[in-house]
């Protein structure tokens, strides 16, 4: 089955318009992930816009108890993105904040309630909206990768089955990597353990956060993988800092970099 082009998914005879949401830390630290996301969506026939008015989703404000600031950020996000058919972002934690936590602040806003079901993390969008079964171009990635399931993606976006639920295992990331030739997918011993980042947690509890990160990197490294692959750059950023500090050879890699063929040069 060929990928369903965005232009065929809208009821109206026009190309589906995607609002590309690039969280602030990705814009500043991981622009290559943003570009890979844009490239992937456009290669699937989507009309993608990057509204310059966008800003932080408000998650750091909410985590630090700034309810007014979090509310202002939620209303701004809604205003900026309400014109699009879908909003897509390469960050599970930011998407989960928008779709699961804005109700604390603007549940009574009809514009937000209309927007909420249109906001997707990139892997969700590829699988649930586009029903992707084939990449737009062949990708060969002959490397061993260890899958990192981020906490928000795991438990709020259902990227995989949390082990504590003791239900049949499934993983969105593993499933989509089956579309890539040559890749060998591995799992760490504790497949859904936290990396220790936790946003402001790493600032408030740096020693504990670092220890958790070191343990997590060691678990991924023990698989024999060359790359730690995930869908949330914040977790990859945290583990990447530990990897660089310790001089390890394993490397963090966002999954869209593999899906677009950019990963080999990471």
């Amino acid at each position: 089955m060929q990928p369903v082009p965005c232009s065929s998914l809208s009821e109206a005879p026009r190309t589906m318009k995607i609002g590309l949401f690039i969280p602030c830390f990705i814009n500043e630290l991981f622009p290559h992930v943003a570009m890979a996301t844009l490239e992937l969506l456009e290669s699937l026939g989507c009309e993608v816009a990057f509204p310059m008015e966008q800003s932080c989703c408000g998650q750091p404000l909410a985590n630090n108890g700034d309810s007014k600031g979090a509310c202002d950020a939620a209303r701004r996000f809604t205003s900026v993105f309400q014109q699009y058919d879908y909003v897509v972002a390469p960050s599970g934690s930011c998407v989960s904040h928008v779709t699961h936590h804005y109700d604390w602040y603007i549940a009574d806003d009809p514009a937000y309630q209309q927007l909420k079901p249109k906001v997707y993390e990139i892997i969700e969008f590829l699988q649930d909206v586009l029903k992707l079964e084939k990449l737009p171009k062949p990708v060969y990635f002959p490397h061993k990768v260890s899958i990192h399931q981020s906490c928000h993606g795991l438990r709020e976006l259902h990227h995989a089955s949390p082990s504590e639920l003791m239900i049949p295992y499934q993983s969105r990331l593993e499933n989509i990597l089956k579309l890539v030739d040559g890749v060998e997918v591995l799992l760490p011993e504790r497949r859904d353990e936290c990396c220790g980042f936790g946003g402001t947690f790493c600032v408030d509890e740096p020693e504990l956060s670092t220890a958790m990160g070191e343990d997590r990197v060691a678990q991924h490294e023990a698989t024999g993988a060359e790359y730690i692959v995930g869908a949330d750059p914040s977790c990859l950023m945290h583990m990447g800092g530990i990897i660089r500090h310790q001089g390890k050879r394993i490397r963090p890699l966002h999954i869209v970099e593999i899906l677009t063929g950019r990963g080999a040069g990471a």
Side-chain angles (χ1 to χ4, degrees):
M1 178 180 176
Q2 293 293 326
V4 179
C6 285
S7 56
S8 70
L9 292 172
S10 177
E11 294 181 1
R14 60 177 177 81
T15 301
M16 180 191 301
K17 294 183 178 180
I18 307 298
L20 182 60
F21 168 41
I22 299 301
C24 41
F25 74 99
I26 297 179
N27 185 62
E28 295 296 328
L29 302 174
F30 301 99
H32 54 283
V33 172
M35 293 302 296
T37 304
L38 173 64
E39 178 184 327
L40 185 57
L41 290 171
E42 290 187 334
S43 69
L44 290 166
C46 299
E47 178 183 334
V48 186
F50 178 79
M52 296 300 292
E53 301 84 4
Q54 66 178 285
S55 185
C56 179
C57 68
Q59 184 176 186
L61 300 169
N63 290 346
N64 284 283
D66 183 356
S67 296
K68 182 182 184 304
C71 181
D72 291 343
R75 295 194 184 282
R76 180 184 181 87
F77 183 96
T78 300
S79 175
V80 168
F81 285 104
Q82 62 183 348
Q83 62 181 299
Y84 298 101
D85 298 311
Y86 289 96
V87 179
V88 180
S91 170
S93 63
C94 296
V95 168
S96 69
H97 181 67
V98 172
T99 58
H100 288 69
H101 300 280
Y102 273 13
D103 276 320
W104 286 97
Y105 307 103
I106 57 171
D108 59 346
D109 186 341
Y112 167 64
Q113 294 302 332
Q114 185 177 26
L115 175 66
K116 180 166 67 170
K118 301 177 182 179
V119 182
Y120 283 84
E121 181 272 335
I122 181 64
I123 302 303
E124 283 187 298
F125 184 74
L126 296 176
Q127 294 179 335
D128 294 351
V129 179
L130 297 189
K131 310 294 184 183
L132 188 68
E133 294 186 6
K134 183 178 180 180
L135 294 174
K137 64 179 181 180
V139 173
Y140 181 57
F141 191 74
H143 301 283
K144 295 179 179 180
V145 304
S146 183
I147 297 294
H148 182 74
Q149 301 287 0
S150 299
C151 299
H152 285 91
L154 180 69
R155 295 181 175 85
E156 294 192 332
L157 302 183
H158 310 296
H159 273 184
S161 305
S163 56
E164 69 268 14
L165 296 183
M166 302 181 69
I167 59 178
Y169 177 69
Q170 65 82 27
S171 168
R172 287 181 177 272
L173 274 65
E174 288 184 59
N175 288 339
I176 205 162
L177 283 174
K178 292 177 182 178
L179 306 181
V180 176
D181 293 329
V183 67
E184 181 179 347
V185 177
L186 305 166
L187 294 175
E189 180 181 2
R190 295 192 289 275
R191 68 176 187 252
D192 52 10
E193 185 169 297
C194 179
C195 73
F197 177 61
T200 53
F201 172 76
C202 73
V203 178
D204 296 334
E205 299 286 350
E207 294 85 1
L208 180 56
S209 174
T210 300
M212 292 173 67
E214 290 173 344
D215 287 348
R216 195 58 177 151
V217 169
Q219 291 164 18
H220 285 297
E221 196 175 32
T223 67
E226 301 161 77
Y227 295 92
I228 302 173
V229 173
D232 210 319
S234 58
C235 302
L236 298 174
M237 173 180 66
H238 182 60
M239 291 185 289
I242 290 170
I243 287 168
R244 288 191 298 274
H245 181 73
Q246 295 184 340
K248 295 181 177 293
R249 298 185 65 181
I250 196 169
R251 291 289 180 266
L253 193 63
H254 195 288
I255 194 167
V256 297
E257 297 179 83
I258 296 179
L259 298 179
T260 55
R262 290 170 171 252

